[in-house]
């Protein structure tokens, strides 16, 4: 069985997806981490993130795999590196490249064939798994998401003001929503959950109820 959870950055979707997978005894895949891995490979190759063919070449040449919770890029553990501000800044540019998407969608479908999965991303319910049994779109207003992101950054030792974090999220949302290939949007049959005023635990309960009832 496939459960998809799509939504914007800071909506809480990855945390919710991880907890939901634990409760259901499913595997969890954070597809955003895969786009981040390609973005990191682009940085490492000193390629121009806006150069279509250069980015496509990098994407073709990389190997991306998972070892439990660790993400391996060309067999190297890059789990922490893909969270850097430099990678975050270009990830949505790299993710707009259709060759990158083609490569990663294939990988995601292969992984989805193996076991029961909770897939988190932007296009899991719309493009990658249109026939998924359960689809959710988890969102929150920009300020709520920016406050969460600001807390995460502070935890990592990075201090940023709320307006700066809001602007970064807004730009990323805009790129993810307006790109031509697989733009971020709820699938027609997805349940849209606004998490602005909900705790993570409340969201997980809501999703569990939905998955177990049907
Ligand atoms: O979820 P995240 O912030 O780690 O994702 C990083 C970038 O990857 C984000 O800007 C959008 C992109 N992405 C995507 O286009 N499709 C997905 N399924 C997952 C992420």
């Amino acid at each position: 069985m496939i459960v998809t959870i799509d939504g914007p950055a800071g909506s809480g979707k990855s945390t919710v997806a991880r907890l939901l997978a634990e409760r259901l005894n499913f595997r969890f895949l954070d597809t955003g981490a895969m786009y981040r891995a390609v973005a990191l490979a682009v940085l490492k190759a000193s390629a121009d993130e806006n150069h279509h063919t250069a980015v496509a070449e990098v994407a073709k040449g990389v190997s991306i795999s998972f070892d439990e919770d660790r993400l391996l890029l060309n067999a190297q553990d890059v789990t922490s590196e893909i969270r850097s501000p430099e990678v975050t800044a270009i990830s949505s540019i790299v993710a707009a490249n259709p060759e990158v998407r083609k490569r990663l969608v294939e990988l995601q479908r292969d992984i989805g064939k193996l076991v029961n999965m909770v897939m988190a991303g932007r296009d899991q319910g719309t493009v990658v798994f249109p026939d998924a049994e359960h689809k959710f779109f988890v969102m929150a207003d920009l300020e709520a998401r920016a406050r969460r992101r600001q807390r995460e950054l502070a935890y990592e030792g990075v201090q940023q003001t709320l307006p700066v974090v809001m602007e970064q999220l807004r730009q990323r949302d805009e790129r993810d929503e307006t790109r031509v290939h697989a733009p971020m949007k709820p699938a027609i049959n997805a349940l849209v959950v606004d998490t602005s005023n909900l705790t993570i635990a409340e969201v997980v309960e809501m999703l569990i109820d939905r998955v177990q009832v049907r």
Side-chain angles (χ1 to χ4, degrees):
M1 184 200 283
I2 300 271
V3 178
T4 62
I5 305 187
D6 292 306
S11 58
K13 69 174 181 301
S14 301
T15 311
V16 166
R18 187 183 298 279
L19 292 170
L20 184 69
E22 261 173 35
R23 289 274 296 272
L24 294 170
N25 207 14
F26 282 22
R27 295 289 298 273
F28 158 65
L29 185 72
D30 172 13
T31 61
M34 301 168 90
Y35 287 93
R36 286 171 175 271
V38 176
L40 177 63
V42 167
L43 286 177
K44 282 186 189 285
S46 305
D48 175 356
E49 67 272 18
N50 290 299
H51 194 294
H52 180 98
T53 31
V55 170
E57 274 308 306
V58 172
K60 254 184 234 157
V62 294
S63 115
I64 293 172
S65 56
F66 289 88
D67 181 7
E68 299 289 324
D69 261 5
R70 315 304 293 174
L71 188 146
L72 309 183
L73 171 66
N74 300 329
Q76 271 196 327
D77 185 342
V78 293
T79 315
S80 307
E81 244 182 300
I82 57 166
R83 302 288 156 196
S84 75
E86 293 77 16
V87 170
T88 303
I90 68 159
S91 61
S92 58
I93 300 173
V94 168
N97 186 303
E99 302 299 326
V100 173
R101 303 205 72 82
K102 193 166 158 242
R103 173 91 211 277
L104 295 187
V105 166
E106 267 170 28
L107 262 174
Q108 289 157 16
R109 287 190 180 138
D110 283 348
I111 295 171
K113 273 183 209 146
L114 302 177
V115 283
N116 291 325
M117 298 283 315
V118 178
M119 311 287 299
R122 304 287 190 288
D123 60 345
Q124 300 299 296
T126 49
V127 172
V128 187
F129 297 104
D131 300 327
E133 282 85 345
H134 298 280
K135 299 182 186 182
F136 299 100
F137 191 85
V138 174
M139 42 85 80
D141 63 52
L142 183 61
E143 188 178 327
R145 292 189 287 124
R147 287 193 189 283
R148 288 174 191 161
R149 182 81 193 116
Q150 198 185 24
R151 266 200 301 276
E152 276 170 23
L153 286 168
Y155 186 73
E156 292 159 14
V158 181
Q159 305 297 333
Q160 267 181 344
T161 65
L162 192 63
V164 168
V165 181
M166 281 175 76
E167 181 52 21
Q168 286 169 351
L169 282 180
R170 197 196 59 73
Q171 281 181 16
R172 213 139 68 89
D173 286 352
E174 189 175 297
R175 278 200 213 109
D176 292 339
E177 283 167 351
T178 58
R179 68 176 174 232
V180 176
H181 302 278
M184 170 174 73
K185 64 176 176 193
I188 296 167
N189 49 354
L191 175 73
V192 179
V193 182
D194 183 347
T195 69
S196 308
N197 298 307
L198 295 174
T199 63
I200 293 288
E202 286 168 335
V203 181
V204 173
E205 286 312 315
M206 192 185 282
L207 270 50
I208 284 274
D209 282 352
R210 215 41 207 208
V211 172
Q212 287 178 340
V213 164
R214 284 170 57 190

